[in-house]
Amino acid sequence: MPEFQSVRGFHDLLGEDLRKFRHVSQHLREKLKLYNFEEVVLPVVEYLEVFQRSIGEVTDIVQKEMFAFKDQKGRWLALRPEGTAGAVRAYVQNRLYALKPHVKLFYEGPMFRHERPQAGRYRQFHQIGAEVFGSIDPLVDAEIIQLVYEFLSELGVPSVIEINSIGCRVCRPAYRVALKEYLEGVSEHLCQVCLDRKDRNPLRVLDCKVPTCKEAVRGAPKMVDFLCQDCTEHYAKLKEYLQLLSVPYRENPYLVRGLDYYTKTVFEAVSPELDMTLVAGGRYDYLVEELGGPPTPAVGFAAGLERLSLLVKELPREEPLYMVLPFGDVMDYALAVVKSLRSEGKRVELSYKRAGLKKQLELANRLGVSYVVLVGEEEKAGGFYLLKDMETGQQVRVEFNPAL
Ligand code: ATP
Ligand code: MG
């Protein structure tokens, strides 16, 4: 083993994995452009308080998973564990609310969480996320879910979209009380962590992955039965729009998210194969205000690029690779051939080894070359080169005169 290893949970992305990763990212970016989202590049570091205020103090992310540290002046900073908090901070700081009736932003980049690493769960991972600021209309929620659904279907990644409404300031308090009461009754079946959660953040118990907890919450009261009129109508409209848009979904009355800022709509796209969430999001109508902006409803989502890459089975075929092999005193001519091929948009390697034909062809094979271009003194003198198809062995003469 080499002396230096990457830090646990931090990975190099390369080769086929990276090609899949880029494929996912490119596809989602194109989709976001079609929906008129504009990119924003956000800092990786924010003041710790930005995350504490938005994600919530009693959440796994803030309590256990954050890479937080003091800078030289003793101020608490943190590597971002997610993108929404920073996006909202930027929206407020740059006064984007003053510019347009609504604002649609997307971001892409690394996120950091101190979690136990496993397949599809890392300490540095990447997300593309999108946010719409300025509209309460459930049509926006529906369009966001439609975007996610189209993206996943076109990518060929099987998933199920689950939705729920977790209410608002008006109706959630009564639900919390009812849920807490229910959890008291089943407390002997709850894990140690959930015993603490049940008092401080009971909704999070619904999200616990421990089997006995999952079993225990089966008969719990459902938020949908507690929704106020406004939230009931909002949720009904969302479902109506999803049907109108032919987006299949499953209602999951126990779906909650690990971040406190959500209101009304929450949703996830879950992979049955990985048994993990690929894309997650929802509405957060109070967060802009919470971070010092004017009251502004908003809704968004974040997609985990590594998890999605794991599910990409087939990549589009790569452009064929050409390799120019110079023989003899012909480098000027060979370089002109290389330049001309690249100017036509072809992917071209120039052989850096001086060797005989057999050795050169062997080398080209190992590099995965589709076509070799043979350039010798005869070719230079005659103004042509030989193009050899490595698969069929067929060879054709191509006229080439760099002076023209
Ligand atoms: P989980 O329930 O799997 O822990 P989460 O609810 O913490 O997910 P979000 O904060 O909603 O996830 O992040 C959105 C997406 O980002 C997830 O659906 C997932 O695809 C990805 N993601 C989250 N945490 C990680 C991680 N540690 N490693 C890789 N991808 C991650
Ligand atoms: Mg998590």
Side-chain angles (χ1 to χ4, degrees):
M1 226 202 287
E3 185 181 355
F4 292 109
Q5 302 284 310
S6 69
V7 176
R8 182 166 142 83
F10 290 73
H11 296 282
D12 305 312
L13 255 173
L14 42 84
E16 174 104 345
D17 292 344
L18 182 58
R19 282 195 288 278
K20 288 182 173 171
F21 182 95
R22 292 279 181 238
H23 176 67
V24 171
S25 152
Q26 223 168 45
H27 191 91
L28 184 48
R29 294 175 70 98
E30 272 161 28
K31 181 60 68 189
L32 285 160
K33 288 219 176 93
L34 296 178
Y35 279 73
N36 196 35
F37 281 84
E38 198 181 329
E39 185 167 14
V40 54
V41 177
L42 300 167
V44 166
V45 170
E46 300 274 357
Y47 288 112
L48 177 63
E49 214 189 326
V50 171
F51 302 116
Q52 290 171 328
R53 277 286 266 292
S54 42
I55 296 166
E57 293 281 359
V58 194
T59 56
D60 289 352
I61 296 181
V62 166
Q63 286 189 330
K64 308 188 301 212
E65 297 176 0
M66 212 130 50
F67 284 93
F69 55 96
K70 272 188 186 167
D71 73 1
Q72 279 81 346
K73 294 224 166 102
R75 288 170 300 211
W76 277 100
L77 310 179
L79 298 182
R80 62 179 180 193
E82 55 100 59
T84 300
V88 172
R89 196 267 312 134
Y91 174 83
V92 174
Q93 182 175 343
N94 295 286
R95 301 169 57 85
L96 300 184
Y97 48 83
L99 299 179
K100 289 180 184 168
H102 65 258
V103 173
K104 294 159 86 169
L105 301 177
F106 81 91
Y107 58 83
E108 171 169 17
M111 306 294 159
F112 305 86
R113 295 185 195 175
H114 199 281
E115 303 196 65
R116 202 170 59 78
Q118 61 184 91
R121 196 177 291 286
Y122 317 103
R123 290 181 175 172
Q124 176 177 336
F125 61 99
H126 297 77
Q127 286 182 339
I128 289 184
E131 321 287 353
V132 181
F133 296 101
S135 174
I136 186 75
D137 199 320
L139 190 52
V140 187
D141 313 40
E143 251 202 334
I144 288 256
I145 297 174
Q146 178 194 24
L147 187 161
V148 169
Y149 170 68
E150 283 177 357
F151 157 65
L152 290 169
S153 326
E154 287 162 18
L155 193 65
V157 167
S159 70
V160 176
I161 293 191
E162 297 192 344
I163 64 168
N164 191 22
S165 174
I166 56 166
C168 66
R169 277 174 187 157
V170 175
C171 49
R172 205 183 306 158
Y175 175 64
R176 271 179 67 115
V177 172
L179 181 61
K180 226 164 124 172
E181 217 163 85
Y182 171 87
L183 294 172
E184 293 294 346
V186 296
S187 60
E188 74 264 34
H189 304 295
L190 297 180
C191 72
Q192 208 52 44
V193 186
C194 280
L195 282 176
D196 178 49
R197 283 183 185 139
K198 109 179 134 44
D199 299 318
R200 309 213 291 157
N201 195 353
L203 266 76
R204 293 284 296 120
V205 179
L206 300 176
D207 197 30
C208 184
K209 313 270 191 305
V210 176
T212 48
C213 292
K214 275 185 162 176
E215 185 66 32
V217 299
R218 272 210 188 151
K222 298 170 177 164
M223 183 66 227
V224 282
D225 297 327
F226 287 75
L227 295 178
C228 60
Q229 196 181 346
D230 181 33
C231 287
T232 305
E233 279 168 18
H234 197 274
Y235 192 40
K237 273 274 178 223
L238 167 65
K239 290 186 278 186
E240 207 179 297
Y241 286 135
L242 288 175
Q243 269 150 30
L244 211 62
L245 292 165
S246 304
V247 175
Y249 62 86
R250 189 158 75 194
E251 280 185 81
N252 175 355
Y254 295 125
L255 178 65
V256 292
R257 312 272 14 272
L259 308 92
D260 280 355
Y261 51 63
Y262 287 108
T263 49
K264 294 190 167 69
T265 311
V266 290
F267 72 94
E268 286 189 352
V270 184
S271 158
E273 185 186 326
L274 289 182
D275 193 22
M276 278 182 156
T277 304
L278 304 172
V279 182
R283 182 165 274 289
Y284 50 93
D285 291 338
Y286 311 130
L287 186 55
V288 174
E289 206 179 342
E290 188 64 36
L291 292 189
T296 309
V299 52
F301 73 83
L305 299 183
E306 282 84 355
R307 276 186 207 175
L308 287 161
S309 308
L310 286 176
L311 294 166
V312 172
K313 305 279 187 248
E314 240 179 291
L315 279 170
R317 273 239 313 236
E318 277 194 282
E319 293 292 309
L321 176 60
Y322 290 72
M323 187 166 195
V324 174
L325 309 181
F327 297 97
D329 185 17
V330 294
M331 200 44 90
D332 53 343
Y333 191 70
L335 290 176
V337 172
V338 170
K339 197 167 169 182
S340 153
L341 287 169
R342 284 187 184 143
S343 75
E344 291 167 22
K346 297 193 165 80
R347 195 157 64 100
V348 185
E349 280 267 358
L350 173 63
S351 173
Y352 300 135
K353 269 232 158 70
R354 304 281 72 83
L357 181 62
K358 192 158 171 263
K359 194 95 194 243
Q360 292 276 29
L361 289 177
E362 248 175 54
L363 226 85
N365 242 333
R366 278 174 49 201
L367 283 169
V369 169
S370 302
Y371 299 97
V372 290
V373 176
L374 304 171
V375 179
E377 276 158 17
E378 196 182 319
E379 282 81 1
K380 178 181 167 180
F384 68 97
Y385 58 74
L386 297 174
L387 183 70
K388 185 184 171 78
D389 185 325
M390 292 292 277
E391 202 166 315
T392 63
Q394 260 179 1
Q395 198 165 292
V396 292
R397 177 190 161 116
V398 180
E399 302 305 317
F400 177 73
N401 191 339
L404 289 180

